[in-house]
Amino acid sequence: MNSFIILMCLSYHLVACEPQCSKFDYEEKTLAKIIRTEILVEQVMSDIKQLKQQTNDAVTSMERMKTELRESIQSMHAENALKLEEYNNTIMKWKDRLDIKPDVVFLAKDPTTQSPSSTIIFGTTMYDMSQSYDNSSGTFTAPVEGVYAFTAQMCLNVGAYKHIHYAIVANDRQVSNSLTYTKDTRFCNTVQAFVVLDKGQTVHVSALGTSAVPLRQNNANEWCTFSGILIR
Ligand SMILES: *[C@@H]1O[C@H](CO)[C@@H](O)[C@H](O)[C@H]1NC(C)=O
Ligand SMILES: *[C@@H]1O[C@H](CO)[C@@H](O)[C@H](O)[C@H]1NC(C)=O
């Protein structure tokens, strides 16, 4: 090897410009080039390996981020659903109270007969905000569900032993009862009832038992009436 280098140096010095010399020169350069190429390839390979590692790391961290993002979106969804349910419950709770109900109030008077035997029909409608009282049948029909108050007043006719037993009947059930009896005085008697009605249920005043001609004739001073109001 040493002798080869010496020989090469000698050859180089002696025949630097000779074409024979360029043979070694060429091989030497080729060798150097190959070595440089190998080093370069190694470096490139190492760079590629590093790049691959970095890419893998990036992919891994992106996947981790994706998972975290998905988890946080899922928890946000769950939180929102809970909040929505809470809001919905609150709204539902208040909905009934916020429901704007119509004005329901009526007053009717003047029974169509002085001798009623079942439903007392009050023929004159004084007022009826929701058009719920039928003055031809004597029946009130609830336009909405709610708590109602009803009043009925009977004025007895003048005469011996006049009496009337009557009741407010809500949805076919007596909810207020009175028996008014007098030997010979004029007076009126009032009954009242608070009832909860569903929409469409009816209320009327019923005569359950009477003497002959128990009611006073329609009179300016004494009124037989039937009235009602929606409280809430
Ligand atoms: C709100 O609550 C009511 C009664 O609990 C339910 O019927 C309705 O579907 C709910 N609405 C929503 C949007 O969750
Ligand atoms: C009976 O009721 C109707 C409407 O419901 C009304 O138009 C009429 O005036 C009432 N009649 C009397 C005598 O009040």
Side-chain angles (χ1 to χ4, degrees), residues 65-79:
M65 272 166 67
K66 207 171 113 185
T67 306
E68 282 171 7
L69 202 64
R70 193 192 303 121
E71 279 168 6
S72 87
I73 285 172
Q74 275 170 352
S75 91
M76 265 163 66
H77 269 310
E79 245 173 65

Side-chain angles (χ1 to χ4, degrees), residues 71-96:
E71 279 168 6
S72 87
I73 285 172
Q74 275 170 352
S75 91
M76 265 163 66
H77 269 310
E79 245 173 65
N80 282 347
L82 262 180
K83 271 200 193 122
L84 262 183
E85 202 182 315
E86 233 172 78
Y87 287 143
N88 186 36
N89 286 344
T90 309
I91 289 168
M92 286 292 151
K93 209 169 78 189
W94 283 95
K95 192 176 163 279
D96 276 350

Side-chain angles (χ1 to χ4, degrees), residues 136-153:
S136 66
S137 68
T139 303
F140 168 85
T141 304
V144 290
E145 64 96 25
V147 180
Y148 291 79
F150 295 94
T151 303
Q153 171 164 284

